Structures are given as structure tokens and as C-alpha cells.
């Protein structure tokens, strides 16, 4: 039924089938494969970030703050798809570690912007090197073109 819904609502479906047209398999179910690949990547990155006292969620908050030069907690939650209460806890962790600070918003006195500290920038740079090595290992089965295609497809699905 789910496979039929996927085919009818998506013009061929996201969920692959076992060949009989009715049942997805673990080798063809896109949701399962995305979750499996994502879980594998997150576990590997978490292990690599452990020496920095970070996990992938902390790392993505640092990445967003570095990329955007400071964001409100609401903006971080929207951008990263994280519940607001989880954003508060992550930013609290990072602030306790001295990696971010909450600066006043220049136009809204009620809002604070999450900004990397000097230590946060240095830690983010070092953690990025490690995370990129893990990413290279995860993408090793793909050539450069396949990797670029995968990133583009994931970007389209994620946004």
C-alpha cells in the first residue's frame, strides 16, 4: 500500500519495490537507505568529534554560525530543522565550552545572535578537518561526479 501510494503520488514513487511491484526491500527503500547511510555517517563523525567534546548537532550549530556570521536561536532551529528547546540546549553546551557567545541583535533588543568565539573558530576549523576526513571515507565508494550528484540530490530533498 505504501509503495502504491508512493508511485501514485510521486509519479513512479520514491520507494522502490522488490520487482513484484508491491513490496519495498531493504535494497530499494529510499527512506531506509537514507536513514542507514545517515546513521552510519553520524556515528562516524560523532566518534571523530569526540576529542573536541562535540557531537554532530553541536558541529552543525558551529557550522551555521560560521557560515552566517551569527544567527538567532530561532533562525538556527529553522535552518537546521531542530526543535527550539534542543537549540537552546546545544547553544548552552557550546557557550559553556567557550565556543560561542550570545551577542545582542543590532536591531532587536529581545534577540541574541549566536556567534563563534575565537576559540570556537579555531575548534570549528580543527573539527572540520577531522569531519572532512570522515566524509571522504564515507564517500570513498563514489567517484567525484557521483559524489557531486549525490550532494545535489540530497540538497534538493533536504530543502
Amino acid at each position: 500500500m505504501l509503495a502504491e501510494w508512493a508511485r501514485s503520488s510521486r509519479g513512479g514513487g520514491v520507494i522502490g519495490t522488490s520487482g513484484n511491484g508491491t513490496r519495498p526491500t531493504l535494497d530499494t527503500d529510499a527512506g531506509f537507505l537514507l536513514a542507514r547511510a545517515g546513521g552510519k555517517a553520524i556515528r562516524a563523525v560523532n566518534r571523530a568529534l569526540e576529542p573536541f567534546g562535540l557531537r554532530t548537532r553541536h558541529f552543525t550549530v558551529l557550522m551555521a554560525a560560521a557560515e552566517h556570521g551569527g544567527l538567532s536561536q530561532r533562525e538556527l532551529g529553522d535552518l537546521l530543522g531542530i526543535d527550539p528547546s534542543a537549540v537552546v540546549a546545544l547553544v548552552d553546551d557550546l557557550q559553556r565550552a567557550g565556543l560561542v557567545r550570545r551577542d545582542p541583535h543590532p536591531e532587536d533588543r529581545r534577540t541574541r545572535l549566536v556567534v563563534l568565539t575565537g576559540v570556537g573558530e579555531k575548534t570549528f576549523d580543527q573539527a572540520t578537518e577531522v569531519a572532512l576526513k570522515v566524509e571522504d571515507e564515507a564517500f570513498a565508494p563514489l567517484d567525484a561526479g557521483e559524489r557531486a550528484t549525490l550532494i545535489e540530490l540530497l540538497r534538493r530533498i533536504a530543502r
Side-chain angles (χ1 to χ4, degrees):
M1 185 153 93
L2 185 58
E4 289 173 2
W5 170 84
R7 275 194 303 282
S8 67
S9 67
R10 302 289 242 140
V14 176
I15 298 175
T17 61
S18 61
N20 64 12
T22 59
R23 289 189 176 172
T25 69
L26 295 178
D27 280 341
T28 62
D29 184 86
F32 170 77
L33 292 169
L34 280 169
R36 173 106 172 151
K40 187 176 176 182
I42 287 170
R43 286 187 299 278
V45 172
N46 279 341
R47 281 191 301 273
L49 294 176
E50 197 171 345
F52 300 97
L54 300 173
R55 300 194 50 83
T56 54
R57 284 188 146 199
H58 296 105
F59 184 69
T60 57
V61 170
L62 293 176
M63 188 184 304
E67 183 177 341
H68 295 278
L71 295 166
S72 71
Q73 290 179 172
R74 175 178 290 151
E75 291 169 324
L76 279 169
D78 290 346
L79 180 65
L80 301 175
I82 299 174
D83 184 80
S85 62
V87 173
V88 170
L90 290 166
V91 172
D92 286 348
D93 291 346
L94 293 168
Q95 188 170 21
R96 272 192 298 276
L99 303 178
V100 300
R101 65 180 185 270
R102 289 173 167 110
D103 286 352
H105 191 288
E107 298 164 11
D108 183 353
R109 294 182 310 152
R110 299 164 298 167
T111 302
R112 298 281 186 183
L113 299 177
V114 178
V115 178
L116 294 181
T117 64
V119 172
E121 288 186 35
K122 183 177 178 182
T123 301
F124 176 64
D125 289 342
Q126 292 170 340
T128 297
E129 285 182 40
V130 172
L132 287 174
K133 287 179 186 171
V134 171
E135 186 176 291
D136 285 341
E137 291 171 14
F139 284 129
L142 305 178
D143 66 34
E146 290 171 324
R147 183 175 175 166
T149 298
L150 177 61
I151 294 296
E152 177 56 29
L153 293 171
L154 291 170
R155 186 180 298 119
R156 286 176 23 199
I157 292 168
R159 297 278 185 233

